[in-house]
């Protein structure tokens, strides 16, 4: 299976196609998901609080939400929602990379010397993200409710059971369409931009590959996050109360009525920083862990990819 090309450009890149077995992609994806999730959970928490409280008409900003969170529960409170976030992000990241690599192998003909164009990367990234996000959506709903501070669930399992009993499948998969409209464009844009930026940076001689991966990830993540942020606000509102906010258009009208056009940008700052760093960390860790796993299990890798 083939992860993101090492030397991509906006056009077709030249180089050898690399076949990575599923267990390598899964292991690298799980590791990258774990690192980024734990490190960046406070930003996700503040983003959700800004979207919830700002949408309720309260005057709020990043610093006021940070102070309120620290005052209510200390430093530990910044990691509220980490457990459902880990349940969602870590296996979700692994699933995303495995699906992405499967799509890359399917799209790229065997023996082809070309890698992937920006368009192909966009299609593969969007498809992989939709699949992974759909499978993990119930945990996303629980994570959003944990972070909002409006729900008092005793555990992740208890939350899933409570939502299923009181709201059914509609509650567990609330905001599904909004999530798809956010994640598919984000991943498509991110992967296409990442490949393009990384190809350009690779032309600069003497830079270690880890810095190239990180810089390309930061640049791509910033642009993709900004473009897809309004969908994230809509998704959050729908997942907190899917009876009041039952449709995308209805939720959009409510946001405009309550907070105006600025409502679509609630929490944009911490989300852009979080998603940018998350994507950069994830891809950097992924590309550093993959060769380690390939060296650690050369026989299994060879037999799986043959």
């Amino acid at each position: 299976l083939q992860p993101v090309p090492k030397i991509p450009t906006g056009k077709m890149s030249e180089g050898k196609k690399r076949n990575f077995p599923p267990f390598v992609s899964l292991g690298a994806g799980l590791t990258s998901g774990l690192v980024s999730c734990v490190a960046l959970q406070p930003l996700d928490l503040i983003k959700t609080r800004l979207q919830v409280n700002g949408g309720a008409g309260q005057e709020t900003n990043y610093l006021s939400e940070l102070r309120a969170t620290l005052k209510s529960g200390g430093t530990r409170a910044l990691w509220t929602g980490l457990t459902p976030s880990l349940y969602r992000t870590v296996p979700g990241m692994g699933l995303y990379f495995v699906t992405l690599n499967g799509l890359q192998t399917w799209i790229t003909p065997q023996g082809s010397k070309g890698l992937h164009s920006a368009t192909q990367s966009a299609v593969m990234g969007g498809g992989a993200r939709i699949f992974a996000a759909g499978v993990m959506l119930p945990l996303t709903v629980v994570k959003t409710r944990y972070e909002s501070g409006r729900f008092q669930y005793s555990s992740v399992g208890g939350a899933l059971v409570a939502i299923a009993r009181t709201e059914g499948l509609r509650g567990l998969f609330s905001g599904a369409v909004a999530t798809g409209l956010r994640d598919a464009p984000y991943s498509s844009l991110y992967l296409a931009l990442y490949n393009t930026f990384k190809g350009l940076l690779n032309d600069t001689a003497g830079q270690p590959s880890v810095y190239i991966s990180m810089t390309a990830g930061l640049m791509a993540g910033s642009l993709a996050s900004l473009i897809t942020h309004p969908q994230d606000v809509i998704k959050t509102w729908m997942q907190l109360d899917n009876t009041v906010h039952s449709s995308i258009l209805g939720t959009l009208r409510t946001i405009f009525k309550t907070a105006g056009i600025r409502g679509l940008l609630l929490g944009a700052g911490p989300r852009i920083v979080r998603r940018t760093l998350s994507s950069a960390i994830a891809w950097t860790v992924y590309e550093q862990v993959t060769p380690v796993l390939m060296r650690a299990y050369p026989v299994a890798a060879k037999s799986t990819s043959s």
Side-chain angles (χ1 to χ4, degrees), residues 21-42:
F23 82 88
V24 171
S25 298
L26 180 61
L30 290 174
T31 304
S32 65
L34 176 63
V35 173
S36 62
C37 184
V38 174
L40 303 174
Q41 176 60 25

Side-chain angles (χ1 to χ4, degrees), residues 41-51 61-63 65-67 69 78 267 270:
Q41 176 60 25
L43 286 171
D44 221 15
L45 173 72
I46 298 300
K47 180 267 296 183
T48 300
R49 297 283 172 88
L50 283 170
Q51 292 178 348
N61 56 53
Y62 176 82
L63 290 178
E65 290 297 337
L66 179 61
R67 285 194 295 265
T69 302
L78 291 174

Side-chain angles (χ1 to χ4, degrees), residues 17-205:
K17 179 186 172 186
R18 298 178 300 161
N19 292 315
F20 288 169
F23 82 88
V24 171
S25 298
L26 180 61
L30 290 174
T31 304
S32 65
L34 176 63
V35 173
S36 62
C37 184
V38 174
L40 303 174
Q41 176 60 25
L43 286 171
D44 221 15
L45 173 72
I46 298 300
K47 180 267 296 183
T48 300
R49 297 283 172 88
L50 283 170
Q51 292 178 348
V52 173
N53 296 330
Q58 301 178 23
E59 287 296 328
T60 184
N61 56 53
Y62 176 82
L63 290 178
S64 65
E65 290 297 337
L66 179 61
R67 285 194 295 265
T69 302
L70 290 173
K71 184 177 180 180
S72 64
T75 304
R76 184 177 180 181
L78 291 174
W79 275 267
T80 299
L82 177 61
T83 300
S85 186
L86 285 171
Y87 287 160
R88 176 188 70 100
T89 302
V90 177
M93 190 72 75
L95 184 61
Y96 167 72
F97 279 117
V98 169
T99 305
L100 176 63
N101 287 336
L103 289 173
Q104 288 175 320
T105 299
W106 177 62
I107 289 177
T108 305
Q110 187 68 30
S112 172
K113 292 184 179 180
L115 292 176
H116 300 119
S117 67
T119 300
Q120 288 176 319
S121 295
V123 171
M124 291 183 295
R129 181 61 64 188
I130 287 178
F131 178 71
V135 172
M136 309 308 296
L137 189 58
L139 289 170
T140 303
V141 174
V142 173
K143 169 185 168 294
T144 301
R145 295 187 177 189
Y146 261 80
E147 292 173 348
S148 72
R150 295 186 174 184
F151 298 83
Q152 301 299 321
Y153 297 123
S154 60
S155 65
V156 174
L160 290 171
V161 172
I163 295 172
R165 285 178 176 173
T166 58
E167 304 171 43
L169 288 177
R170 181 178 179 180
L172 290 173
F173 289 90
S174 56
V177 176
T179 300
L181 292 176
R182 179 200 65 177
D183 286 353
Y186 176 85
S187 290
S188 296
L189 287 168
Y190 177 82
L191 199 53
L193 291 169
Y194 176 84
N195 280 345
T196 301
F197 289 141
K198 194 176 175 190
L200 295 173
L201 292 171
N202 265 310
D203 292 335
T204 304

